[in-house]
Amino acid sequence: MQTLYTMNLERHAQIHPRVLLHQFDGAIDAGNAANLATEQLLTTLPGKAVATFNIDALIDYRSRRPTISYDHGKFLEATHPSLVLELLRDDNGEEFLFLHGDEPDYRWDELSNAIIHLARSLGVTTAMGMAGIPMPVPHTRPTQVYEHGQHVPDDPNHPKTFGYMEFPAAYGNYLELRLGQAGFDSRGVSASVPHYLLRDDFPQSASALLRAIAKSINLALPVGDLEANSITNLNAIETEVANRPEVAALVQALEKQYDKSLDSVLSPPPDLSLQNADLNDTDLDTLTAQLEAFLESNNLGNGPNNSRNATSQGPNRDQPET
């Protein structure tokens, strides 16, 4: 039987994390919101590897192949997918665990059991995942963040999305469920991303994710870089929209829907779920296709981000041995 992880800390290392954050690259992440949030954490907070997972036992290389470099007649090195549990310190010096890397293809139950064992043995009580979800919202309005989990209180001031649904699970969803069943305070946050920007970087939603996590589980997380990038990104979108009256009209239709939902009740925040979208008979698919074509033709957004590239850039980061 292959072991699923290797510990990188000394046996008697004294660490006291109460929180486990987790994010897996490969599932739906509109606007690369969770990837951008991951990159922000790894490049701004000091940390070190606690455990590295056996990626050969978890990943189908036919769907996510290693990248290999080639130069003048020879192959130089291969870069593999990865899954790492790191110990980070927030801006106030509090330790927390962050599990990040590629979404596993295999052995979900075994991996979940291993993560549960690690979390318990290290003293974790609270776990939280994050993601970006496409929603019929305009880029000109604040990002709504939806918190979910088996122990999240029914807060009337918290935005609501859907009732009962069935859909193919991402591993982050599955782990949130398993951690909750194991007795942890297991939660998740999902940030709304304009559906016409789902394939582009949308740092506004990444910033909203980190702010929501910080508020929910009392961590001091850095968001300054993301907020600065949000201003630049929104200004670029606004400049292009201003030069295209037909696109501006489509954005205004989304704004009207958003504001109508907001004004319909004083509290809670607006219900912006897809089944409630009413754009004055504007066809949502047509609107989406037009806006996507417009934004892609103007090269707005930077495309998908790979958070693994950030793991070597953080301050004082101890790299796992290969």
Side-chain angles (χ1 to χ4, degrees):
M1 177 73 68
Q2 290 177 299
T3 58
L4 287 186
Y5 65 89
T6 300
M7 294 297 294
N8 296 81
L9 290 180
E10 295 180 3
R11 178 181 297 271
H12 300 294
Q14 296 297 311
I15 63 174
H16 305 283
R18 63 178 177 87
V19 171
L20 167 66
L21 298 184
H22 54 86
Q23 190 269 331
F24 306 95
D25 188 19
I28 293 175
D29 182 29
N32 299 303
N35 273 333
L36 289 170
T38 293
E39 182 179 4
Q40 175 73 2
L41 294 177
L42 296 180
T43 56
T44 57
L45 297 179
K48 57 186 175 182
V50 172
T52 53
F53 287 81
N54 180 2
I55 210 69
D56 276 351
L58 299 171
I59 295 293
D60 180 358
Y61 285 135
R62 293 170 299 177
S63 62
R64 278 172 290 175
R65 297 177 184 273
T67 57
I68 194 164
S69 57
Y70 176 89
D71 185 38
H72 291 86
K74 62 179 179 181
F75 294 106
L76 302 179
E77 61 178 339
T79 302
H80 290 75
S82 65
L83 184 59
V84 181
L85 180 66
E86 296 199 54
L87 183 73
L88 304 183
R89 292 183 182 271
D90 74 359
D91 286 339
N92 290 335
E94 179 176 348
E95 296 175 334
F96 67 95
L97 294 172
F98 187 27
L99 176 62
H100 62 91
D102 290 270
E103 182 183 42
D105 296 310
Y106 307 123
R107 301 173 74 172
W108 281 21
D109 276 331
E110 289 181 67
L111 178 60
S112 298
N113 289 335
I115 293 168
I116 289 169
H117 171 75
L118 279 168
R120 279 184 176 150
S121 65
L122 294 172
V124 168
T125 58
T126 300
M128 179 165 279
M130 55 181 166
I133 54 173
M135 300 286 279
V137 294
H139 64 275
T140 54
R141 295 295 186 266
T143 296
Q144 294 288 336
V145 178
Y146 306 89
E147 188 169 347
H148 40 84
Q150 294 175 306
H151 304 292
V152 174
D154 187 12
D155 186 349
N157 294 314
H158 194 273
K160 308 297 183 197
T161 50
F162 307 103
Y164 178 81
M165 293 190 302
E166 293 184 0
F167 55 91
Y171 182 66
N173 309 141
Y174 188 76
L175 181 61
E176 180 181 323
L177 172 65
R178 288 291 310 278
L179 286 165
Q181 292 172 337
F184 293 88
D185 180 4
S186 182
R187 316 179 194 179
V189 284
S190 299
S192 63
V193 175
H195 52 290
Y196 50 90
L197 294 172
L198 66 91
R199 289 194 293 269
D200 295 306
D201 287 350
F202 196 62
Q204 180 174 322
S205 291
S207 174
L209 281 176
L210 292 186
R211 285 195 173 277
I213 292 170
K215 180 179 179 180
S216 178
I217 56 179
N218 194 29
L219 287 176
L221 302 179
V223 297
D225 296 333
L226 288 172
E227 292 187 341
N229 292 339
S230 296
I231 294 172
T232 301
N233 180 261
L234 291 173
N235 286 340
I237 296 173
E238 283 297 295
T239 298
E240 296 296 341
V241 169
N243 295 325
R244 297 282 293 274
E246 71 281 9
V247 176
L250 295 175
V251 174
Q252 289 169 7
L254 284 172
E255 291 174 334
K256 186 174 181 180
Q257 162 64 19
Y258 183 103
D259 295 339
K260 178 181 177 182
S261 298
L262 187 64
D263 292 340
S264 63
V265 288
L266 295 178
S267 182
D271 182 345
L272 300 172
S273 54
L274 288 170
Q275 69 260 37
N276 293 315
D278 177 8
L279 302 177
N280 293 329
D281 298 325
T282 300
D283 183 79
L284 193 59
D285 291 335
T286 300
L287 180 150
T288 301
Q290 290 175 316
L291 281 173
E292 285 181 348
F294 159 70
L295 293 169
E296 289 176 1
S297 68
N298 287 280
N299 196 31
L300 294 176
N302 298 317
N305 257 300
N306 186 343
S307 63
R308 294 192 306 274
N309 294 335
T311 59
S312 62
Q313 300 172 7
N316 304 320
R317 186 166 307 285
D318 297 333
Q319 290 301 312
E321 295 181 0
T322 56

